[in-house]
Amino acid sequence: MIKYFANVFNNSRAIVQGHWITLKYMFKPAVTIHYPDEKLVPFEKFRGALLFDQQVCISCNLCVKACPSNCIQLENAKNETGKKIAKVEWYSIDFGKCNFCRLCEEACPTKPKSVWHSLDYEVIFVKRDEMVRCWKKDFPFVGKYFDRKTQDFMDAEGQVSIHDVQPRRS
Amino acid sequence: MSNALMQTHDASTMAGLKTDQLFINLGPQHPSTHGVLRIGLTIEGEVIVKAVPDIGYLHRGTEKLSEVRNYHHCVVLTDRWDYVSAMPNNLVFCLAAEKLAGVKTTPRADALRVIMCEMNRIASHLLFFGTYGIDLGAYTPFLYAFREREMVLDLFEMLCGARLTYNYIRLGGVMVDASPEWLKRTSEFLEYFKPRLDEYDTLLTYNPIFMARTKGIGIVSAAEAKDWALSGPNLRGSGVNYDVRKFAPYSGYENYDFEVPLGKDGSCWDRYFCRVSEMRQSVRIVSQAIAKLPEGPFQASGFAKVPKPIAGESYANVEASRGDLGIYLASDGGISPYRMHVHAPSFINLAMLQDKLVGMKVSDVIALLGSIDIVLGEVDR
Ligand code: SF4
Ligand code: SF4
């Protein structure tokens, strides 16, 4: 009998103690973020979706070699006489394979980096085609994708950009 | 009905009853299996007569993939084994590759590696603490555990840019140096975290309802634990004092003062308690490491862009969050490993299930499964 009441007492005490801790935090400000309305800004080093600058790239192939999953492809541009020049004709990253590992950014020798991680964590793809981003002359940093249906380059609409101006790292 | 089973029932009520055996699938999609694990359970009434864990749903073949990638690329693959605590994975591969290539790391890199691994142990055990509570019907501790886990992940994000797949520990050192700002924030977190651990004890560890559901359940004796080659908190929960950090120190663990928490009888509660106590020890290690962080370069020189170790073999093991994580590397002198084999603690700890589940009640399956804390990414690789 005593054991029974001791048991009841112990359990009730544990419940009260548990509630006491919860109560302590009830009046403190919440630590959660209401996601689509409020958005966290990641730290400066965050490895988000990759951006690419066609103007700066010298087409050195180092990022292609550094990538562990072969997601980068590029083709050298040629001048009128057919000689290769240090510019890319097109450059593409397959986000379906990308590990977000920063090895390409580290390997890139240009200053500022031609390929770099943005702070964008909302990369959304609705179609398979969208996963392969392509950059050509005068394409924006986020690139475009080649839609096989319309046989044309489309803007990456699926990508909801968190930061209108993408921070650029040196 | 087997004779052994009859004894577990009340013989008088069961004598005239004819019960059918029933086969049920636990998983692959089950909120309590923490990944894609299927356990084929044959039950009789409420008692399990046979349990067959079925793995392989998450097999990505990283061991094979490593044979066509160079050593820097392989570090990226290691992140994907135990994705809840990826730092020790990075570390063990780097240790093995550094042994092969004969490169010594710098003292600062070693200290940073220790800090990151221990912080990752805290994050990983917090996940265990939260989800184990959920498995047994206590939702609140989960929210508190994730609040703190989020802070650890924020610290990781601040330093290396990723929250789960870090790729931070590199061959010969680490990716970036820790700034004074980061170290300050980490110390602040540790100060904040210490009293939280006492709250966890009140919320879950010494809660009578939780203790009733875990104490004396799923007892693994020390002899059994050794026979099944368990490691990590599962082994120490049975009272076997084995910790790679103490027995074969790596990355300068011999310079830190910490204890190895041990359980008594190897029940689910003991394994749980070992993990919670390990968090306290991790806090101790990190504070010591920050206090005496040596100056100097964070990356050893002498590692080529595409390293080509001489032909040979090496083995390295570390105490990861889930146990003794080992890696065997064989090189034929080329740019990629000739063969890589992972000694994954989760895989070995999981094997115990088929034996231990027999004779238990269905409601205790989750208590045992949760307490051995497996990560399926590491089981299947
Ligand atoms: S982040 Fe890693 S996986 Fe992605 S493109 Fe760069 S190197 Fe390749
Ligand atoms: S992005 Fe950088 S590394 Fe890649 S080809 Fe251009 S300049 Fe070279």
Side-chain angles (χ1 to χ4, degrees):
Chain A
M1 198 65 180
I2 293 174
K3 216 177 147 204
Y4 173 79
F5 280 111
N7 202 1
V8 169
F9 175 73
N10 278 341
N11 280 294
S12 331
R13 197 183 55 183
I15 289 173
V16 171
Q17 278 176 337
H19 277 99
W20 176 245
I21 290 179
T22 326
L23 198 71
K24 266 198 309 196
Y25 287 107
M26 210 171 102
F27 302 105
K28 297 215 175 130
V31 289
T32 43
I33 300 279
H34 294 268
Y35 164 56
D37 306 328
E38 299 168 59
K39 279 176 188 174
L40 279 177
V41 178
F43 288 99
E44 188 220 349
K45 283 218 181 79
F46 186 71
R47 309 207 291 252
L50 288 161
L51 303 181
F52 176 73
D53 187 345
Q54 196 262 349
Q55 299 294 321
V56 186
C57 177
I58 53 166
S59 186
C60 65
N61 248 328
L62 282 179
C63 53
V64 181
K65 290 198 190 110
C67 178
S69 46
N70 274 342
C71 33
I72 306 179
Q73 288 184 348
L74 57 84
E75 190 174 316
N76 258 95
K78 294 195 173 86
N79 62 6
E80 301 85 61
T81 56
K83 266 193 79 181
K84 279 188 185 171
I85 52 168
K87 276 270 169 285
V88 283
E89 176 71 34
W90 55 261
Y91 185 95
S92 82
I93 296 179
D94 186 347
F95 280 113
K97 292 183 195 164
C98 180
N99 288 313
F100 298 90
C101 63
R102 187 176 283 148
L103 289 179
C104 51
E105 184 183 323
E106 280 171 11
C108 186
T110 61
K111 242 177 195 216
K113 302 272 186 201
S114 318
V115 59
W116 73 98
H117 282 283
S118 65
L119 302 187
D120 193 350
Y121 53 84
E122 286 185 320
V123 232
I124 300 155
F125 307 103
V126 245
K127 280 184 293 204
R128 228 161 236 256
D129 289 353
E130 269 176 56
M131 290 194 154
V132 187
R133 283 286 159 73
C134 188
W135 286 268
K136 279 183 165 185
K137 205 169 185 300
D138 299 331
F139 277 20
F141 287 164
V142 287
K144 296 187 179 193
Y145 72 93
F146 185 72
D147 192 25
R148 273 179 292 187
K149 219 184 214 160
T150 54
Q151 292 286 313
D152 197 11
F153 284 99
M154 311 274 270
D155 277 322
E157 270 176 52
Q159 186 163 348
V160 189
S161 197
I162 300 185
H163 313 278
D164 295 333
V165 184
Q166 300 288 346
R168 187 73 193 266
R169 303 207 199 96
S170 59
Chain B
M1 189 189 284
S2 67
N3 283 334
L5 220 116
M6 279 294 284
Q7 286 153 13
T8 62
H9 293 267
D10 185 350
S12 58
T13 54
M14 293 297 286
L17 270 176
K18 191 179 172 312
T19 45
D20 279 341
Q21 291 199 339
L22 182 68
F23 180 82
I24 52 169
N25 267 320
L26 188 85
Q29 265 88 31
H30 186 279
S32 292
T33 55
H34 305 279
V36 271
L37 167 71
R38 186 175 76 99
I39 308 179
L41 295 173
T42 312
I43 54 172
E44 214 170 78
E46 260 217 84
V47 181
I48 292 156
V49 288
K50 195 165 171 236
V52 184
D54 182 11
I55 57 168
Y57 291 93
L58 214 56
H59 180 66
R60 289 142 305 169
T62 41
E63 287 177 7
K64 188 73 192 165
L65 284 173
S66 73
E67 291 168 21
V68 291
R69 277 159 174 74
N70 72 31
Y71 287 85
H72 288 297
H73 294 166
C74 288
V75 179
V76 179
L77 293 179
T78 64
D79 282 329
R80 272 85 188 157
W81 302 333
D82 181 355
Y83 38 75
V84 181
S85 71
M87 286 291 179
N89 299 356
N90 286 178
L91 175 62
V92 69
F93 181 83
C94 292
L95 286 180
E98 281 157 9
K99 266 188 202 170
L100 259 185
V103 173
K104 273 223 159 314
T105 53
T106 62
R108 190 174 174 91
D110 272 345
L112 282 173
R113 286 170 171 197
V114 168
I115 293 175
M116 293 311 256
C117 284
E118 292 305 320
M119 291 293 278
N120 214 170
R121 193 185 310 274
I122 292 175
S124 163
H125 286 347
L126 277 175
L127 182 83
F128 162 80
F129 166 82
T131 50
Y132 196 44
I134 290 198
D135 289 350
L136 298 178
Y139 193 77
T140 321
F142 172 78
L143 301 173
Y144 291 112
F146 262 58
R147 182 187 57 192
E148 270 79 70
R149 186 178 137 85
E150 207 56 17
M151 293 176 183
V152 184
L153 296 189
D154 273 348
L155 286 171
F156 286 153
E157 184 189 322
M158 192 174 158
L159 190 57
C160 69
R163 302 173 69 86
L164 279 181
T165 52
Y166 310 110
N167 189 18
Y168 176 72
I169 294 170
R170 299 285 175 85
L171 304 181
V174 293
M175 178 199 222
V176 285
D177 202 358
S179 60
E181 154 88 11
W182 188 85
L183 293 172
K184 198 175 128 261
R185 282 183 73 142
T186 311
S187 312
E188 279 168 12
F189 165 77
L190 295 178
E191 281 312 307
Y192 168 84
F193 186 59
K194 273 183 219 156
R196 298 290 92 76
L197 279 165
D198 297 332
E199 281 180 12
Y200 297 161
D201 282 349
T202 319
L203 278 175
L204 201 59
T205 315
Y206 294 116
N207 184 308
I209 303 165
F210 176 75
M211 280 167 95
R213 279 213 64 185
T214 50
K215 269 218 155 155
I217 305 287
I219 292 184
V220 182
S221 70
E224 275 177 318
K226 281 186 204 156
D227 283 352
W228 281 106
L230 304 187
S231 56
N234 298 325
L235 179 67
R236 294 193 286 273
S238 304
V240 184
N241 190 352
Y242 175 74
D243 188 317
V244 185
R245 291 174 294 176
K246 282 278 189 209
F247 278 73
Y250 52 90
S251 295
Y253 264 110
E254 62 274 20
N255 305 331
Y256 304 107
D257 174 30
F258 65 101
E259 284 152 27
V260 179
L262 293 179
K264 285 199 186 72
D265 57 358
S267 67
C268 291
W269 192 82
D270 280 349
R271 286 190 283 276
Y272 163 88
F273 188 67
C274 271
R275 294 201 173 86
V276 175
S277 320
E278 266 184 23
M279 286 200 268
R280 287 179 207 276
Q281 301 303 326
S282 295
V283 170
R284 271 178 74 186
I285 298 174
V286 179
S287 351
Q288 290 172 37
I290 291 182
K292 50 181 183 189
L293 187 65
E295 294 295 324
F298 62 93
Q299 180 83 37
S301 52
F303 232 114
K305 269 245 166 72
V306 182
K308 257 195 201 177
I310 44 159
E313 302 170 3
S314 73
Y315 182 79
N317 60 344
V318 300
E319 185 71 30
S321 312
R322 276 165 191 76
D324 178 355
L325 174 68
I327 195 162
Y328 167 75
L329 267 185
S331 154
D332 57 358
I335 58 165
S336 41
Y338 175 72
R339 176 79 169 93
M340 170 168 95
H341 178 74
V342 188
H343 172 280
S346 291
F347 177 65
I348 291 154
N349 295 343
L350 175 79
M352 159 180 93
L353 275 185
Q354 48 192 312
D355 200 32
K356 273 286 132 204
L357 284 179
V358 175
M360 285 177 86
K361 296 262 164 42
V362 177
S363 55
D364 292 336
V365 172
I366 297 304
L368 177 61
L369 181 61
S371 79
I372 62 172
D373 190 26
I374 44 167
V375 161
L376 268 295
E378 190 176 60
V379 174
D380 296 336
R381 287 169 330 263

